[in-house]
Amino acid sequence: MGRQLWCAIACTGAVAALTVSCGWAAAIHAAEISADQVDGRWTSEAGTSLTFHEDRTFTAEHFDELPVAHDCENPSALSSGHWAFYAPAETDQTNTAEETGARGTVLSLIFSTGDCEVDAFLFGDEDDPVMCPTGDPDAGCPGDGYLHRNQATASGT
């Protein structure tokens, strides 16, 4: 291989390493989707599912098996709640859950039981996003913890 090819490979590797280590991975790979695209059932290979409804409520099955659930007071009781997109606040640099937000890259899942709020980051492509409920988007989810939209939901059937 030529010197230019090796240089290109090294530069690409360095950029990828900096992206992950500096916390930019979530922003680069974030998928912005609409509330309509959130509606429906999302499932993981591990058996966790979240079903989102048009009225901004959701139900959960086996959510307590995700590592992020252990940050909540009673993980086994995490079965329903309401959701909102995060949006930049007008007054400062923080993001707030906006219950009327029409699009976003991060969901706030507010569970009905206890005092538990979990962030769910949307990654990938707008047409085929994956959801990762986690406290740290750069850490990601376990391989079988990413939630995918049910194909019947995604096609509108």
Side-chain angles (χ1 to χ4, degrees):
M1 282 192 235
R3 181 178 173 169
Q4 288 179 329
L5 181 59
W6 277 111
C7 186
I9 292 170
C11 287
T12 302
V15 168
L18 286 172
T19 299
V20 172
S21 67
C22 293
W24 298 337
I28 291 173
H29 301 292
E32 183 174 331
I33 66 172
S34 69
D36 291 342
Q37 290 172 289
V38 173
D39 289 348
R41 189 165 189 217
W42 296 65
T43 57
S44 75
E45 291 177 15
T48 300
S49 74
L50 293 170
T51 303
F52 295 92
H53 306 284
E54 192 174 316
D55 65 356
R56 301 284 176 119
T57 61
F58 69 90
T59 55
E61 295 177 21
H62 307 290
F63 195 85
D64 59 326
E65 295 176 16
L66 295 177
V68 72
H70 300 287
D71 294 338
C72 298
E73 187 175 309
N74 189 3
S76 63
L78 302 176
S79 62
S80 65
H82 64 279
W83 66 272
F85 283 117
Y86 272 103
E90 292 181 22
T91 57
D92 58 27
Q93 298 292 351
T94 62
N95 290 335
T96 58
E98 177 60 52
E99 303 221 359
T100 59
R103 299 184 65 78
T105 60
V106 183
L107 299 178
S108 172
L109 306 176
I110 302 106
F111 286 89
S112 299
T113 183
D115 187 20
C116 184
E117 183 175 342
V118 173
D119 294 338
F121 296 84
L122 299 162
F123 295 105
D125 186 279
E126 179 181 332
D127 295 326
D128 189 25
V130 295
M131 183 181 299
C132 177
T134 183
D136 180 3
D138 290 326
C141 283
D144 61 356
Y146 286 95
L147 292 113
H148 300 264
R149 258 189 324 194
N150 186 327
Q151 289 304 323
T153 301
S155 65
T157 57

